[in-house]
Amino acid sequence: VQLQASGGGLVQAGGSLRLSCVASGNTFSINAMGWYRQAPGKERELVARLPFGDSTTYADSVRGRFTISRDAARNTLYLQMNSLKPEDTAVYYCNAEWPLGVGVIDHYWGQGTQVTVSS
């Protein structure tokens, strides 16, 4: 599975960006995708997760501002980010989950796309 993320950039506080992540290769068994982010000096954290056929999950810090969605026909995951804040500045990573067995999941990661929000 290969994940190609794009859409990051520099935006002023209050602005919007839309991230995209195209999945390719053997994607048949992927059952969830999501977006994570990592700010300088901080650990990688979940931003939003979309299990296929189940409810989405959002970090408290982005709920109501960010929306995760998927175009299954295009194997593409999106993250619409509105009302951006300087604290949203981070490298954003696309993630895909491949179940290997009960309680065992393999994770695939994209290369990351930088989002910088200026105050």
Side-chain angles (χ1 to χ4, degrees):
V1 177
Q2 293 82 45
L3 302 174
Q4 182 68 42
S6 62
L10 174 64
V11 64
Q12 288 188 333
S16 298
L17 284 174
R18 189 176 81 155
L19 305 183
S20 300
C21 174
V22 178
S24 60
N26 187 2
T27 62
F28 182 78
S29 292
I30 293 174
N31 68 352
M33 294 185 73
W35 290 97
Y36 290 70
R37 67 186 181 186
Q38 187 167 19
K42 295 187 177 181
E43 293 186 353
R44 190 173 298 189
E45 63 175 359
L46 173 68
V47 175
R49 178 175 178 266
L50 195 162
F52 299 171
D54 207 342
S55 301
T56 57
T57 301
Y58 291 96
D60 289 343
S61 59
V62 307
R63 187 175 293 112
R65 299 187 297 121
F66 291 10
T67 303
I68 189 172
S69 63
R70 171 178 168 249
D71 184 334
R74 297 175 184 270
N75 276 337
T76 302
L77 183 74
Y78 301 100
L79 185 68
Q80 178 66 43
M81 305 185 294
N82 299 328
S83 302
L84 282 161
K85 304 176 181 180
E87 50 263 43
D88 295 319
T89 295
V91 177
Y92 284 69
Y93 296 91
C94 177
N95 170 267
E97 298 178 19
W98 182 297
L100 298 177
V102 177
V104 182
I105 299 172
D106 202 2
H107 288 265
Y108 293 88
W109 296 94
Q111 84 284 8
T113 184
Q114 176 71 46
V115 172
T116 303
V117 184
S118 63
S119 57

